[in-house]
Amino acid sequence: MANRQLENGNGSRRVTVREGASHALLDDVAKQIIEQLQEDGRRPYATIGKAVGLSEAAVRQRVQRLLDAGVMQIVAVTDPLQLGFPRQAMIGLRTDGDLESVADRLAEFDEIDYVVITAGSFDLLAEVVCRNDEHLLEILQKLRGVPGVVSTEAFVYLKLRKQTYSWGTA
């Protein structure tokens, strides 16, 4: 499994991209642990252990292995509106040249929260959270200056109806 560390110019944000992640870590107990943490990311390991039939130490080790393998992250999810970021958008990008290197370059932008390589009319999709429309325009101009970006199309979010991170473990 290959790992790539991406870093922005000032080194303040790192993104680890794990390629070829193994599903071997996901036995039934690991899936139960993930589901417990999806319900409450601050749930104590002892409580999780009781629910899944393991000791606190065993749960701690399992969680660390899942984190190290990139299977999951434990983060605080915020509401951008309440933090002063009222403008969100999904930006579709058309590119030429090496698609993965363009995607890697976009992943370095602090303003971009999500980058995905797609099939269809866009090569890449990037989600941004902005202070205002002027900030969105600045980001679009920066994106258009990235070598390999041919065009962009912004889909401005008018109202968020659903956002979830608990899609289960299959």
Side-chain angles (χ1 to χ4, degrees):
M1 172 170 52
N3 289 337
R4 290 184 289 152
Q5 288 278 329
L6 306 175
E7 190 173 320
N8 70 3
N10 63 14
S12 65
R13 182 175 180 192
R14 290 189 177 173
V15 178
T16 301
V17 178
R18 288 174 172 76
E19 298 170 351
S22 170
H23 296 288
L25 293 170
L26 292 180
D27 62 9
D28 288 338
V29 174
K31 290 178 181 181
Q32 290 174 28
I33 291 170
I34 291 168
E35 290 167 359
Q36 290 282 313
L37 289 168
Q38 284 178 324
E39 288 176 17
D40 180 359
R42 299 185 314 155
R43 185 165 288 158
Y45 291 148
T47 304
I48 295 171
K50 288 177 187 170
V52 303
L54 293 176
S55 69
E56 177 181 351
V59 171
R60 184 180 315 280
Q61 289 174 347
R62 290 274 197 128
V63 168
Q64 192 59 54
R65 281 198 310 249
L66 292 167
L67 293 169
D68 290 345
V71 172
M72 68 176 191
Q73 297 176 12
I74 300 173
V75 299
V77 178
T78 59
D79 180 349
L81 291 174
Q82 293 191 39
L83 294 176
F85 297 98
R87 177 59 67 220
Q88 292 178 270
M90 184 67 69
I91 301 171
L93 298 102
R94 291 183 181 89
T95 66
D96 64 10
D98 182 14
L99 183 58
E100 291 196 18
S101 66
V102 176
D104 290 344
R105 176 65 184 103
L106 298 181
E108 295 174 4
F109 283 71
D110 284 333
E111 300 92 345
I112 296 177
D113 296 316
Y114 175 84
V115 176
V116 63
I117 297 172
T118 65
S121 61
F122 295 104
D123 299 311
L124 299 167
L125 292 175
E127 185 178 50
V128 297
V129 177
C130 309
R131 293 184 304 275
N132 51 38
D133 288 338
E134 185 175 323
H135 186 211
L136 175 58
L137 180 58
E138 290 170 16
I139 294 168
L140 287 169
Q141 289 171 336
K142 283 172 54 175
L143 293 176
R144 290 175 182 148
V146 171
V149 172
V150 173
S151 66
T152 63
E153 185 173 344
F155 300 90
V156 174
Y157 298 1
L158 298 176
K159 192 172 194 178
L160 182 62
R161 297 300 290 191
K162 181 178 181 179
Q163 181 175 8
T164 183
Y165 299 99
S166 59
W167 44 80
T169 56

